[in-house]
Structure formats: structure tokens, C-alpha cells
Amino acid sequence: MSAKKLFIQTLGCAMNVRDSEHMVAELTQKENYSLTENIKEADLILINTCSVREKPVHKLFSEVGSFEKVKKKDAKIGVCGCTASHLGNEIFRRAPYVDFVLGARNISKIAEAVNTPKFISVDIDYDESEFAFADFRNSIYKSYINISIGCDKHCTYCIVPHTRGDEISIPFDIIYNEAKKAVQKGAKEIFLLGQNVNNYGKRFRNNHKKMDFSDLLEELSTIEGLERIRFTSPHPLHMDDKFLEVFSQNPKICKSMHMPLQSGSNEILKAMKRGYTKEWYLNRALKLRELCPNVSISTDIIVAFPGESEKDFEDTMDVLEKVRFEQMFSFKYSKRPLTKAATMPNQIDPEVASQRLSILQNRHNEILDEIVEKQNDKEFKVLFEELRPNNSIAGRTDNNFLVQVEHSEELLGQIKNVKIKNAKRMVLYGELI
């Protein structure tokens, strides 16, 4: 029997990318599907949704509406992920042509969903931490690996705890075996995923080997053939000295740290329920710079959170000046359903929000240009993983700069020394040494 065709669209974060890989694995290996990039020939169309970015509900119904118009007659449409978790049955009401709805914490049920009319499962307490997924990866050189699911933080602006449930760690042996198998199949790098990775080990489903995130990193680094370990996202609250020292000293851990700031104001951080202060954040970031001079630090910042004053915004700018982030993801605050911040008083005028975001981004671009200029004539080890036009190939340095050289696909999956010749804000152009 010929394989049925599966088309999948993934929105949002790296965890969604990994969830999509899990669903593809279950369907291709257990339900006789094969992937297609042509939506018109698909027998099954999946959209794996995100609730974090702006207007996710509008995005969902716009996309599934366009799918319905182009799909072939008997093709099924499934809505999965975070927006599925919080909308549930409303998806069937607003888009009756959708065949099933599967929440972010229920993706192990994908085969059952495909085979059950109007199936819905959006339980955020469902525990998949010990489920043995089939294996599929978009890249043979890099492997995403979940180390926890859910989040206990309940930041007042964030919908994730309402879509992915409480945090639970995945047992070490499952993570280790998955990493080892990926390396045996050609992966040079593993990318560990969790809402707060450095809170790993606080809660397991059953009795398992106790360890914290630093211990997990050290154990995984013993895998023979594994060259690089990355992870996202750590929480500033859990960046103890042990974690920073293991990060700095272990040569297999890539020297790229994501430190979500959100705000530099203690008042706003308290209103956000972030759990740390501006002083703690600066202490951790500057200690990291001291321990690991070649580290690159990235961050997330929200401007115009409810009640943010000019002084609060100046505190955020002060952190920007002191840390000088190599990468910054910045947004105007926008309301999310089910979150406390959505009903807070003193919502900020959109024009003021836009002005503050522009000031923040313009100053960061100036800092970034200074950082980038210093990369000229430096030498980096680059893991090449992406073909680009005009006979070029690109990859990442240990500290996460994107580097492009002129070369052919034979470099894919290899780590090579590169000297930077023309450093630009988005890409460092170099030559093989």
C-alpha cells in the first residue's frame, strides 16, 4: 500500500519544532505516512500552533481557512500545539472542517487523533515525560532533545503554563539514550529544550536518578562523538555559581547563553513575577562575562508592560548598556488570554510602547555594530549545516555567530576553522583556513 502524504506547518519555538518531529515520527513509522511540501497532495495537514507571539488565534484561523480552500477532497486537517491547548472545542465551533484538536501536552496521541473522528485531547496535566516516541529529525547534524515539559513559573504575561501545564523533568536515561542514538546517526550537536532548562531535576514522574542541570550537562558531555551541547532557555533565577562554572569550563558546552531579562526594573520584574532583581541579573551576567570572556549573551525584553514608567524603561536601557547583548529579541507588551497582566491597570499607550521599542532596538543595533566590527580577522570553529545560494554554505560558531563561506555541500556536518573577512550584523562572511 502506498504511503499517505503528510504536510506539517510548525509555528513558534524550538520546542514546537521538536514536537512536530515527534508527530512526524509517530505518523511515518506507525501510520504509513510520508512527508510532502505540497499541501495540495497531502492526505493529512497539521498545523502546530504557538500562543506566545502576537495574534496567535487570528493566525490559526487564517491558516486553517487557507488550508481548507486548497486541500484535496478527503484530506484531514489537525490543529495541534499551544493555541489548540487553550482554545479546545472552540476550534471545532469556528472551523467545523477541522478533524481533530491536539494540545501541546498530548502529542503522543497523534495516531489515535488521526484515526478518531472529531478527536480532541487538550489536557495540560497529561504526562508524556516517559513516552517512548519514534525517531525523526529534520537535521542529521543537530538533534533537538526535550529534557522537561511544562512550566511552574506563572509569569503574569505568559500563557505557557496554561498550554503546557506544570513542569516535569524527563528521566536522565531517556535523554542520554536519545542523545547517544542521535550521535550514532551523525549528529555533532545536541540542543536541549525546556521552558526553564536549568531547573531540571526538581520533579520527576517516578523515582529516578537525582541530578541537577549542571550534572546533566556533565554526563551528556561524556558521549563519545558528541562535539557540541546547546540549550534553551535557562532562567536567570537558577543561574547558581555551579551552573556558570560548568558552562564556562566544559569544552563541549557551546559558549552561547540565553538570559531572558524581560525588564531591567525591579518594580516591573516583581509585577511580572520573574523572581529575580535587576541586581541579581547583572551579577550573573557580568560574572559569566568574567568566567567566560568569549561568551555571547542573548536576551528577551518586553517594553511597555502595564505600569512601566520612564524610570522603569531607563532601568532596562541601563542593563542593555552594562551587558551589551550579542543578540536581543524585543517586543511591545501584548495581552494574552488567561494571563494576569491582561487585566492589570495602567496599560501603556501603543504610541509610547512603539517609541520605547524603537529606542531600545536602535541602541542595541549600535552596540551590535560595535560587537560585529570586532569579529573581523578572528578565527572560529564553525559547524556547517545549511546550504545557501551562490555556492555558499553556512553554520554556527561555538558562541552562535552565523558564518558563511563559499564552498560546496561536502562541508555539511563538518566543523572547520574559518577566518572572518567581512563581518555584517546578521552574517559573518569568512574563508576556510
Side-chain angles (χ1 to χ4, degrees), residues 78-109:
V79 175
C80 311
C82 289
T83 308
S85 292
H86 87 261
L87 288 184
N89 273 305
E90 187 181 343
I91 294 172
F92 289 141
R93 184 180 63 81
R94 293 178 59 175
Y97 44 82
V98 169
D99 293 278
F100 61 88
V101 175
L102 204 58
R105 193 119 169 191
N106 302 260
I107 59 168
S108 60
K109 301 177 184 177

Side-chain angles (χ1 to χ4, degrees), residues 13 83 143 155 189 194 214 257 262 316 331 338 429:
C13 68
T83 308
S143 174
C155 300
E189 176 181 300
S214 301
M257 181 77 82
Q262 307 306 359
T316 297
F331 312 92
L338 309 176
Y429 295 91

